[in-house]
Amino acid sequence: MADGWDLHAVVSGCTTPASSSATVTVNCQTNNVEDPLPDLASLTFANDDNTPFYYPGFGDNSDFECEGLEEIYRSFNFLKPRPNNPCTSSISPTQQEAQSLPPPPPQTMVQVQQLITPQTIKNSRAGSSLALPATVRSRRRKNQQTKLVRQMSHEELLGDSWAWRKYGQKPIKGSPYPRNYYRCSTSKGCGARKQVEKSPSDPDIYVVSYSGEHTHPRPTHRNSLAGTTRAKFSSRPTAAGASSEPPSSAGTVANPPCSSSSPVSASSLSPSTPLIEGESSAAPPENSLTDAIEILDDDEDDEMWETECDEVVLIPNTVMSEDILKGFEEVRRASSGSTRFQTRDNSLSPWNFSAAAAGGGGGGC
DNA sequence: CGCCTTTGACCGGCGC
DNA sequence: GCGCCGGTCAAAGGCG
């Protein structure tokens, strides 16, 4: 999908009126930011609740023009409420400049369609098809699904404290990488879901889509270690064997393509990441992606830039063990050189991201 | 034993 | 109406 991977998603009806229809655009500026430090500097990392991250440009409802998106982000624990701060008050000069500039090129953006209808709400609230008999599966209309789409780095994918379970993987037409599907496994009946796929335009970036709502508090630790470490290398071809990614451990492990979509298995993380909120929030990733967010009215595409909410959102890296970091290094070395790769213990390979993917961005709303 | 990943099949939405 | 495509299910097998 490369440059054209516009993702149509619907922001879960967490807080948006059922009659609303909007598009959320996440503009990943990461690759365009020469110096991410200013962005990081504008961040504050409090830890007084379960939302360890604070993102500039979000928080103050009175000034925040993208309230809907803010809520979405909040619901996903991407944001932390802040006392007061207008959209522009905390952004760096670089970001301000970006705001004053015309919309970035399409290839740097992810457009998320938000078409919330009563049916959408109904479906999402219903909790998902899981509760339905196999013969009465609830399949929401694709365009009506509410999603929050973000682009993340490997590190960011690692920093998700939610527990995710992979339930599917599909090759996506037009994309060399498969899309992986995860649902929250922290609590039964939790409707939070997550999709992770690798950006064709930048193998180091992952496109993560969140949908649904968490029906439980953010876990302080991952509750399951079982089946998280898969040391064996599977030669089994994946449906999307098109992946050009380095065979990740996981990849190799189970699906290279998969790895492609998500570098680290949440599960693989589980055992080694205690998820200390404070700690995680205090250490922004060097490669944090900087995203500009825009709320767009789907019915008024011509006015897509009208809201001018290109707020920069930084998703700081959370917890990453040394092993994982080392694993990344190994993966990168391997990917740049040989075609065959194996991590020291297989289980920590950044490419083994099944759940990690899940881990990616911090859970659905 | 419980939870995980993998993966083919199934199903429904959507475009033509 | 048909076929493509994406999302989900569920069986099988693995790991701690």
Side-chain angles (χ1 to χ4, degrees):
Chain A
M1 66 177 108
D3 298 344
W5 47 289
D6 285 0
L7 299 180
H8 298 285
V10 188
V11 175
S12 117
C14 295
T15 59
T16 311
S19 61
S20 69
S21 174
T23 296
V24 177
T25 298
V26 177
N27 176 23
C28 178
Q29 298 180 326
T30 302
N31 295 333
N32 300 329
V33 177
E34 294 180 359
D35 181 7
L37 292 180
D39 296 334
L40 296 176
S42 66
L43 293 171
T44 60
F45 301 102
N47 187 35
D48 58 357
D49 60 18
N50 286 332
T51 54
F53 306 139
Y54 165 78
Y55 301 91
F58 292 96
D60 186 355
N61 289 338
S62 64
D63 294 305
F64 192 62
E65 296 179 77
C66 305
E67 190 169 340
L69 184 60
E70 177 190 25
E71 291 301 326
I72 293 164
Y73 261 64
R74 279 221 182 94
S75 65
F76 277 92
N77 282 335
F78 280 171
L79 313 171
K80 172 182 183 60
R82 59 177 171 171
N84 56 33
N85 192 354
C87 283
T88 59
S89 65
S90 64
I91 59 178
S92 65
T94 299
Q95 295 163 358
Q96 290 178 6
E97 180 180 357
Q99 284 189 340
S100 64
L101 294 174
Q107 60 267 30
T108 65
M109 303 179 59
V110 175
Q111 292 189 355
V112 184
Q113 276 198 327
Q114 180 179 9
L115 299 175
I116 302 175
T117 65
Q119 181 180 355
T120 303
I121 299 300
K122 178 182 177 181
N123 290 335
S124 65
R125 301 281 175 179
S128 85
S129 56
L130 288 178
L132 299 173
T135 57
V136 191
R137 294 175 185 175
S138 172
R139 297 175 187 280
R140 284 167 285 190
R141 293 185 59 185
K142 294 174 184 178
N143 287 345
Q144 291 184 340
Q145 294 183 37
T146 1
K147 293 181 183 177
L148 168 63
V149 181
R150 283 201 75 253
Q151 294 181 39
M152 297 180 173
S153 64
H154 297 160
E155 291 80 3
E156 289 169 344
L157 275 174
L158 292 172
D160 191 346
S161 64
W162 296 98
W164 301 92
R165 177 181 177 176
K166 185 177 182 177
Y167 66 86
Q169 175 180 324
K170 290 282 290 185
I172 302 303
K173 188 178 182 181
S175 174
Y177 309 113
R179 179 176 297 162
N180 294 271
Y181 301 89
Y182 300 83
R183 71 164 56 96
C184 180
S185 62
T186 300
S187 174
K188 280 189 173 182
C190 179
R193 300 196 177 196
K194 178 180 183 176
Q195 296 178 7
V196 179
E197 61 183 281
K198 201 162 192 174
S199 172
S201 59
D202 187 343
D204 291 331
I205 293 179
Y206 299 85
V207 180
V208 183
S209 304
Y210 296 97
S211 63
E213 302 175 43
H214 283 293
T215 59
H216 52 86
R218 174 186 282 265
T220 55
H221 64 281
R222 299 220 163 85
N223 58 3
S224 175
L225 301 179
T228 56
T229 306
R230 307 181 83 79
K232 82 172 183 179
F233 280 55
S234 168
S235 59
R236 180 203 267 168
T238 64
S243 171
S244 60
E245 286 311 304
S248 56
S249 59
T252 26
V253 162
N255 75 42
C258 177
S259 23
S260 61
S261 2
S262 112
V264 179
S265 166
S267 31
S268 67
L269 269 179
S270 303
S272 58
T273 56
L275 295 172
I276 301 170
E277 300 283 352
E279 178 181 344
S280 62
S281 62
E286 292 181 4
N287 295 326
S288 292
L289 297 181
T290 301
D291 297 344
I293 311 298
E294 294 200 10
I295 300 286
L296 305 174
D297 187 326
D298 189 52
D299 293 332
E300 300 176 356
D301 289 341
D302 293 342
E303 302 174 12
M304 64 187 295
W305 305 109
E306 209 173 73
T307 55
E308 295 184 354
C309 285
D310 353 32
E311 287 307 312
V312 173
V313 177
L314 294 178
I315 306 299
N317 184 22
T318 54
V319 177
M320 193 182 325
S321 68
E322 290 185 9
D323 284 342
I324 293 173
L325 289 171
K326 290 177 181 176
F328 273 136
E329 291 305 315
E330 293 181 15
V331 169
R332 292 185 177 180
R333 280 197 296 270
S335 64
S336 62
S338 65
T339 57
R340 196 68 183 173
F341 171 78
Q342 180 173 359
T343 57
R344 289 175 304 165
D345 65 358
N346 292 332
S347 66
L348 292 176
S349 167
W351 296 105
N352 182 4
F353 89 131
S354 10
C365 59

